[in-house]
């Protein structure tokens, strides 16, 4: 598995570099994970939905993979950051193929690659939007263009209900993660981080809550354009959320290290969200009050005398963006199989009634009720969603890539205006698989009629290829549709 920090649309360079490493080291990379700022820009209109200064609004390479001019040579899994074509990411809110062989985990999601569980959270944390619903609609105003990529409590609560996962991807760093590695070296290389670290506002409090709750083996992040290693040791024993700093991390013999000679790079808009007030986080606290911690339902069990139970640990690695001489890539060394995580499907069904597309976010169920709902829906998933002979739910059986927007040069009209919204057949298929309404982008004609969207019968029939619908306030627009 290769892991990339910020992509910024540099797919050609990333795939080329991986091919060189495969040749040089005589190994095969099965999958590539990208930790946000992927920039899935299909055309010039998508650029108008990306929150970046005008000088950074460039098509880059993704559109070639979207239109079929090129194909990703490696199964690529991505999450979103704070510099994205947010309209396209919203189309695939529950996850889906951005292009052939490039899969978006959604605003939050969990899948399996050859049985390895990989979960992820898109976006960055801003306290003032955290507890809101997803109210943003195209065309975005200046505020919505930023708030749409701010992670919501809804996503964090869903992720916290996972029983475990081996790999977790985020764009943001978990708050205070810098305290678990070589902080002095980080501050020597990235002096601009000192102020936020001293104020205790570097990183995301909810993500640190997830790290302590899920305890993944690996956590990969990006965002700050700084390579940084840390190890969080989780104390053994039931119900304990505490974590302690570990000694300096041991060097990984399989690590691909790229000398960072350009240490004084100016910080661009990637390092933060200008104009937004900092979240109300106080420094020097053992636990942040905004942290979402899941209650321990299990009864306290007295452990026997020595030997004590082993402590688990999470290895954290932040990676840089794709530039010459920068440390942006890590490698851990027939094609991989991408499958849905049944537990995540159950969580999605259980929490769908609380998915809000307005500013108001209804109150969530408490811990015990939430877990009971998930257990009930897991039984539904097992009974109603078809599986292969190995008991897997193959992504390709339910979702196939379909172009919804045209490629560059085919936009029609003013290419410098924001695009219409599109109904994505993959989202329709995902909702039909789980027998839930499509709240994300229902077809405009059906939405206007006020009927149930994305509903299917309880037998959960497998989806058939569909035409893509598009519209702007119920008005259809031209769209290029390509599919099997």
């Amino acid at each position: 598995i290769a892991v990339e920090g910020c992509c910024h649309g540099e797919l050609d360079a990333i795939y080329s570099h991986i091919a060189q490493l495969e040749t040089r080291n005589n190994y095969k990379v099965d999958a590539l994970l990208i930790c946000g700022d992927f920039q899935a820009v299909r055309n010039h209109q998508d650029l108008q939905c990306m929150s970046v200064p005008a000088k950074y609004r460039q098509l880059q390479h993704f559109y070639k993979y979207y239109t079929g001019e090129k194909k990703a040579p490696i199964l690529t899994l991505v999450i979103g950051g704070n510099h994205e074509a947010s309209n396209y990411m919203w189309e695939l809110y529950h996850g889906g193929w951005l292009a052939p062989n490039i899969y978006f985990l959604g605003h939050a999601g969990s899948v399996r690659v050859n049985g390895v569980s990989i979960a992820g959270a898109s976006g960055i944390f801003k306290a003032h939007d955290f507890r809101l619903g997803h109210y943003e609609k195209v065309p975005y105003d200046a505020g919505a263009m930023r708030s749409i990529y701010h992670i919501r409590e809804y996503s964090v609560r869903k992720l916290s209900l996972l029983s475990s996962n081996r790999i977790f991807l985020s764009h943001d760093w978990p708050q205070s993660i810098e305290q678990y590695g070589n902080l002095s070296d980080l501050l020597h290389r990235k002096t601009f981080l000192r102020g936020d670290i001293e104020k205790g506002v570097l990183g995301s409090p909810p993500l640190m809550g997830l790290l302590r709750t899920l305890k993944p083996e690996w956590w990969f992040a990006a965002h700050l354009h700084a390579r940084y290693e840390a190890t969080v040791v989780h104390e053994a024993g039931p119900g304990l959320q505490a974590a302690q700093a570990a000694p300096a991390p041991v060097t990984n013999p399989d690590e691909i290290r790229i000398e960072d000679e350009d240490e004084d790079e100016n910080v661009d808009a990637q390092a933060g969200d200008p104009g937004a007030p900092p979240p109300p986080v106080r420094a020097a606290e053992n636990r942040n009050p905004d942290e979402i911690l899941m209650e321990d339902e299990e009864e306290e069990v007295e452990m026997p005398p020595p030997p004590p139970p082993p402590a688990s640990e999470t290895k954290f690695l932040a990676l840089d963006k794709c530039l010459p001489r920068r440390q942006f890539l890590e490698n851990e060394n027939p094609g991989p199989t991408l499958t849905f995580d049944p537990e995540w499907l159950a969580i999605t069904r259980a929490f769908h009634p609380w998915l809000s597309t307005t500013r108001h976010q209804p109150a969530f169920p408490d811990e015990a009720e939430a877990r009971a709902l998930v257990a009930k829906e897991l039984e539904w998933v097992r009974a109603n969603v078809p599986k292969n002979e190995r008991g897997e739910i193959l992504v390709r059986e339910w979702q196939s890539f379909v172009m919804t927007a045209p490629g560059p040069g085919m936009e029609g009209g003013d290419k410098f205006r924001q695009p219409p919204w599109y109904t994505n057949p993959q989202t329709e298929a995902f909702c039909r698989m789980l027998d839930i309404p499509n709240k994300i982008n229902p077809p405009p004609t059906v939405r206007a009629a006020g009927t149930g969207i994305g509903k299917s019968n309880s037998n959960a029939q497998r989806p058939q290829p569909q035409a893509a619908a598009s519209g702007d306030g119920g008005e259809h627009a031209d769209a290029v549709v390509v599919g099997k």
Side-chain angles (χ1 to χ4, degrees), residues 146-181:
R146 292 188 176 188
S147 65
I148 191 169
Y149 57 71
H150 293 160
I151 192 170
R152 301 305 209 265
E153 182 180 8
Y154 177 81
S155 293
V156 174
R157 282 185 176 267
K158 287 176 65 182
L159 288 165
S160 69
L161 292 169
L162 288 168
S163 57
S164 65
N165 68 284
R166 187 173 176 189
I167 297 173
F168 197 98
L169 307 179
S170 69
H171 190 61
D172 249 350
W173 292 22
Q175 189 195 36
S176 77
I177 193 67
E178 75 280 356
Q179 303 297 327
Y180 297 88

Side-chain angles (χ1 to χ4, degrees), residues 9-20 61 65 322-323 328:
E10 297 283 353
L11 281 176
D12 287 354
I14 293 168
Y15 290 136
S16 174
H17 189 70
I18 291 175
Q20 293 172 23
H61 310 153
Y65 299 85
C322 182
L323 286 175
F328 62 86

Side-chain angles (χ1 to χ4, degrees), residues 38-118:
F38 181 73
Q39 298 183 4
V41 177
R42 300 167 291 183
N43 55 43
H44 292 90
Q45 290 183 341
D46 278 357
L47 281 175
Q48 312 312 310
C49 296
M50 189 165 69
S51 179
V52 293
K55 66 179 180 179
Y56 293 113
R57 287 183 177 163
Q58 302 172 4
L59 283 179
Q60 296 292 54
H61 310 153
F62 171 77
Y63 76 90
K64 302 174 186 177
Y65 299 85
Y66 176 77
T67 60
E69 180 180 339
K70 292 186 174 183
K71 182 178 180 181
I74 305 166
L75 174 62
T76 304
L77 304 183
V78 310
I79 59 168
N82 59 316
H83 300 305
E84 304 289 0
S86 296
N87 59 316
Y88 192 23
M89 295 293 195
W90 177 255
E91 275 185 39
L92 296 171
Y93 174 87
H94 295 293
W97 299 103
L98 294 167
N101 224 24
I102 301 176
Y103 194 84
F104 174 46
L105 290 184
H107 280 223
S110 178
V111 296
R112 295 175 181 175
V113 178
N114 283 8
V116 176
S117 57
I118 302 172

